[in-house]
Amino acid sequence: MRKFILPVIMLLGIILTTSCKGVKDLLEAIEKYGYKSTMPLGDKKIPVEQQLLGGFVYNAMPLVISKKDEFTYLITFLSTELEGSNTEIEAWMTELDNSRYLNLEIGDLYSFLKIKPVYNNECEIRLLRSTIEPYVTPATLKSWLLKHGKEDQYITADSSTIDIFYSFNFDKISPERAYLIQAETLQDKKITLFGSCSSYLQYDNLAKKYPGDALLASARESLLKKCESLEDFKTFIKYFPDDILAEKAKMRIGEITTFIADSTNYAAAKNSNTIEAYQIFIADCKIKAYKDSAQRRIIPLVQKITRDDIEWRWTGGKRNEAVQYILYKIDYAGDSLDKGWYSKHLTLYNLKMAQAASAEAAVQYIDKMASQAPVHDELLNLYICKGFLYWSMGSFDLSLEAFKAKIGEHFNDNNKDTYRKAIRLRYKEYQKEKIVFPDEKKMWRKIKKL
């Protein structure tokens, strides 16, 4: 705690008039702009007044005035700086022609405040300014104030005008409230200090000054927020290996690593610009935005695939590629897809290949086309394809269920064939292709009875 005998001015304040605009607190005004005299205005003769005792605040700067003895006030300026300390100042009252002045002892010098009594918890304080120095001496100050102290300004011999006082308005509060304002202000500044921690050196200093303080967690959070690169996050983990935030740092490392990998792989896929390259990329990609972009790039490539492309690959021995091209068309062609042609060829090719895994995938794609609002005839055809695919896999019950689902319905095309007849015609086509089904005779008898 510092001990001064500083002006009471800082005492009671909350609102600063325009005459002292830019001055952040009363002590600053006294130190920078207050008139300094080697003599007080008078001795200690006026007893301490109860109405001036208590807490006061100006510009969020609190202070407490208490009674030191019968004639002396003790003013405690409550520091709101984290590195600061409270300041104690002694002062006493002098009355000049019904005007009351507070003598503030500052070392070997004195500053003076002209004060008005407290009304409605407000008090106006006027600081005698250093601008009057050329016109008075400590010995003549008292008489000069008796003559000019009731005015706001002083007209000099050369007719220039100077301001005599700085004016402050103070709010009176309880001492308890003043200490609470100090505590709240210091806590807010402390929160800001910890929350803006920007280096590990600063963190170490905070940890030394405030060991075990709960706000150190916010300092660590601040450091984590400032991490951007992989090295930044690795340094954070190295510095705080056991902190819960280390897990967040590890997650961010994973996200950045994934981003770098996906960015690199996407660039390679775009360089190849093939459906296959994009499909491989999509299978391993973790970032949705990249996946969506790759899928959009596939669409124009798929649109270039024709039926002839598919049949040429099939007849040229590239059977798996032909089937894959059909799946691409189902995935990306949308409503423009000729579901009849693609479902029939997907089924035919899978029956000829006799590969269970491929047939299972074909069933899933048949279901996908069925979910895309096909017209009536297309839907009947899809059920037929599904029935034969299940039969080829030995899933007899599922095959019969698919065939039975549309029994009794007719196609709407020119032939007006029944669904039952369409199944028989399709079976004959497959026989011509020399496709063999498991348990064929027994199963076919069951199908004909549907």
Side-chain angles (χ1 to χ4, degrees), residues 222-241:
S222 176
L223 289 173
L224 180 60
K225 289 178 181 178
K226 296 182 185 302
C227 293
E228 295 180 355
S229 66
L230 284 173
E231 289 305 315
D232 289 341
F233 288 104
K234 289 178 181 178
T235 299
F236 183 89
I237 294 171
K238 183 178 180 180
Y239 217 84
F240 305 110

Side-chain angles (χ1 to χ4, degrees), residues 18-38:
T18 54
S19 62
C20 50
K21 184 178 181 181
V23 179
K24 68 178 182 179
D25 63 56
L26 186 55
L27 281 175
E28 176 188 15
I30 294 170
E31 293 169 354
K32 291 183 178 180
Y33 310 111
Y35 174 78
K36 305 295 189 302
S37 172
T38 57

Side-chain angles (χ1 to χ4, degrees), residues 117-141:
V118 176
Y119 294 112
N120 297 323
N121 293 325
E122 291 185 1
C123 179
E124 182 183 4
I125 301 283
R126 292 187 171 191
L127 169 66
L128 190 62
R129 294 180 55 158
S130 59
T131 51
I132 69 170
E133 287 178 355
Y135 312 103
V136 297
T137 66
T140 62
L141 176 62

Side-chain angles (χ1 to χ4, degrees), residues 234-338:
K234 289 178 181 178
T235 299
F236 183 89
I237 294 171
K238 183 178 180 180
Y239 217 84
F240 305 110
D242 299 322
D243 193 90
I244 189 172
L245 293 178
E247 293 302 317
K248 289 187 177 181
K250 291 175 183 177
M251 290 176 60
R252 288 293 293 127
I253 288 176
E255 292 169 357
I256 293 173
T257 302
T258 296
F259 177 80
I260 294 173
D262 282 354
S263 298
T264 302
N265 294 337
Y266 189 36
K270 288 193 292 184
N271 187 55
S272 298
N273 198 37
T274 63
I275 298 173
E276 292 76 10
Y278 286 125
Q279 288 288 90
I280 292 171
F281 167 73
I282 290 171
D284 294 330
C285 179
K286 301 295 189 301
I287 300 176
K288 185 177 182 299
Y290 280 142
K291 280 188 177 183
D292 293 343
S293 179
Q295 288 172 337
R296 288 193 295 271
R297 288 178 174 272
I298 288 176
I299 293 173
L301 298 176
V302 171
Q303 290 172 341
K304 295 178 181 179
I305 297 174
T306 65
R307 295 181 184 181
D308 288 342
D309 291 331
I310 295 171
E311 290 181 330
W312 288 337
R313 278 165 175 73
W314 178 264
T315 56
K318 298 180 178 180
R319 295 190 166 192
N320 287 328
E321 190 172 327
V323 172
Q324 186 60 61
Y325 272 29
I326 292 176
L327 301 184
Y328 289 154
K329 295 294 281 188
I330 296 172
D331 278 332
Y332 296 100
D335 295 337
S336 63
L337 183 71
D338 181 350

